[in-house]
Amino acid sequence: MRSRQRMFAAVMRLLLKCLRLGRRRRFKLVRQAEQLWHYGHLCLRSLLYNSFTNGDVVLDSLFEPVYWLVDHVTRWFGVVFVALVIGLTSSIVAIVYICLLPLILQTYTPAWICWHLAYGHWNLIMIVFHYYMAITTSPGHPPQTKDDLTGVSVCRKCIAPKPARTHHCSICNRCVLKMDHHCPWLNNCVGHYNHRYFFSFCLFMTMGCIYCSISGWEMFRDAYAAIERMKLLEKERQQVAANQTYYQTPPPTFSFRQRAFHKSIVYLWVLCSSVALALGALTLWHAALITRGETSIERHINKKERQRLQKKGKVFKNPYSYGSWDNWKVFLGVDTPRHWLTRVLLPSPHLPHGTGLSWDLPPCVTEQRSPLLAI
């Protein structure tokens, strides 16, 4: 009996020793895994460490596939976007001529008829002219040789001279003078030579949409009520047809012309109101940039430069800003008072100030600039 107890005790002691060894081995494996993890993390940081790396660089690297996809999709779908703009604008013009204009001629006074005819056609001419010029005018590109250019850098992507305010467009794969952005609705870059056409198109298109929304508000309410009445009568007609007796007659139905008329009015008002809100916000944004003498790209550059100088106790001033009023005169090309009529309120293909290669003081600027910090 005692021998069995001794044997059982020996087996239990051996089992406990094995368990202790297994626990120690597990602790040893965990320590080795932690050491390998810290060693690998240190190696990775030593290989990828860069003192200039920050959150913006990491985000740009992560979104690089998205940028590549957007660039290629925008390049191929630019023609589709232009066709969409032309198609939607043409549909609105057709509805105005077919549906609205006859009602205006029948119900309005002669004074209001003259106002609508004059303003509507002037606005339409300005929209068509500036959109055509924006999509057909080259934004301007720097020369490939550096013979006549002084103090310019070299583009890293196209290995060509890069004057001040010039940036490389990844969609067009070329450098653009005073580049603002690449607009898919124009299938073209917005730069030095077509920036005014782009902004004028946005402005007059917004004005035209607001004009159509305000003028067609009452008609939109009547058309919407008529469409709801159509749905109700159609529902009643189906119920009567299902339970028809010899003394019941179905309610009258609307003709195809009436349905098309009311739906066209609703389509016109909804589309014009939506475009007025979206395009109006974009127009106000670009108007603020023009007031400050900046482009969309320069806004981000100037913001970072302003923050950098602010940390050093200095004040940043935009070297391409001449003051709010003079910035608008330079942008619109207004040299004399009569140019507000001939170059702003009427279609004008005049060129902007300068060549986009150098930025001398325009003649329309009233005051000289003080020495400013360069970007």
Side-chain angles (χ1 to χ4, degrees), residues 42-97:
L42 180 62
C43 291
L44 185 64
R45 290 194 62 181
S46 64
L47 291 174
L48 301 179
Y49 177 75
N50 189 340
S51 59
F52 296 100
T53 302
N54 53 21
D56 294 338
V57 176
V58 174
L59 288 176
D60 289 341
S61 301
L62 293 176
F63 279 93
E64 190 64 30
V66 179
Y67 296 150
W68 180 89
L69 181 64
V70 170
D71 290 345
H72 285 72
V73 169
T74 305
R75 183 182 306 173
W76 290 107
F77 279 86
V79 178
V80 178
F81 291 152
V82 172
L84 187 62
V85 172
I86 296 174
L88 293 177
T89 306
S90 301
S91 66
I92 295 299
V93 174
I95 292 173
V96 169
Y97 274 102

Side-chain angles (χ1 to χ4, degrees), residues 134-177:
I135 62 177
T136 57
T137 302
S138 173
H141 306 284
Q144 298 298 313
T145 59
K146 200 176 179 181
D147 299 337
D148 300 331
L149 301 178
T150 58
V152 299
S153 59
V154 176
C155 179
R156 297 179 300 172
K157 297 182 179 180
C158 57
I159 315 300
K162 187 179 178 182
R165 311 187 79 178
T166 299
H167 300 279
H168 186 87
C169 177
S170 57
I171 299 175
C172 299
N173 200 23
R174 294 188 66 180
C175 282
V176 178
L177 299 175

